């Protein structure tokens, strides 16, 4: 069964990013986003359960947002306000011909790298 998972790594500290707010949206159109779920990363920098699994994972467009500004503020990183990056949005498409969609995100207060693994 196909599933959608994510993993967030803090490249400044060299460890999983714990407690990052993650939201997943279905995009009917680029301007019409419906919230599917809201969660936080665990001690491994992952969401404890797949964000979507099996029959709930439909082909289409999605947006996942990550609250990295809040994460870095809570971790004690000192930066001027407003933060350079506060929320990282990643828009992607799903084609059910694939069995696994894993969105990896490497973060710092001033940049990020994302890729699909799996």
């Amino acid at each position: 069964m196909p599933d959608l998972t994510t993993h967030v790594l803090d490249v400044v500290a060299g460890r999983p990013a714990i407690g990052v707010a993650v939201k997943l949206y279905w995009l009917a159109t680029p301007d019409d986003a419906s919230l599917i779920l809201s969660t936080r990363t665990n001690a491994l920098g992952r969401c404890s359960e797949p964000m979507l699994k099996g029959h709930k994972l439909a082909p289409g467009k999605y947006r996942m947002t990550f609250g990295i500004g809040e994460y870095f503020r809570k971790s004690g990183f000192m930066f001027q306000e407003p933060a350079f990056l506060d929320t990282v949005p990643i828009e992607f498409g799903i084609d059910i011909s694939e069995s696994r969609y894993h969105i990896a995100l490497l973060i710092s207060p001033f940049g990020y790298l994302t890729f699909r693994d799996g």
Side-chain angles (χ1 to χ4, degrees):
M1 297 256 280
D3 61 0
L4 173 64
T5 57
T6 191
H7 192 190
V8 185
L9 299 170
D10 178 341
V11 297
V12 175
R15 64 177 179 238
I18 302 167
V20 174
V22 183
K23 294 182 179 180
L24 178 65
Y25 299 87
W26 166 262
L27 298 178
T29 68
D31 296 325
D32 183 12
S34 299
L35 181 66
I36 297 172
L37 70 86
S38 181
T39 188
R40 291 194 178 266
T41 56
N42 61 21
L44 299 174
R46 300 172 183 269
C47 296
S48 296
E49 297 289 327
M51 301 197 67
L52 290 175
K53 187 170 185 155
H55 69 280
K56 293 182 180 180
L57 186 64
K61 296 279 190 171
Y62 294 84
R63 177 183 301 135
M64 203 178 291
T65 63
F66 300 84
I68 69 167
E70 174 193 37
Y71 164 79
F72 282 111
R73 283 182 199 91
K74 286 182 177 178
S75 71
F77 186 84
M78 301 299 289
F79 50 3
Q80 293 181 334
E81 293 293 343
F84 179 68
L85 293 173
D86 198 44
T87 302
V88 171
I90 300 171
E91 291 190 9
F92 57 96
I94 287 185
D95 168 354
I96 290 304
S97 67
E98 300 292 335
S99 62
R100 182 170 183 248
Y101 287 84
H102 181 74
I103 308 298
L105 179 65
L106 310 177
I107 60 171
S108 85
F110 305 106
Y112 63 93
L113 172 74
T114 188
F115 57 94
R116 178 184 169 206
D117 185 22

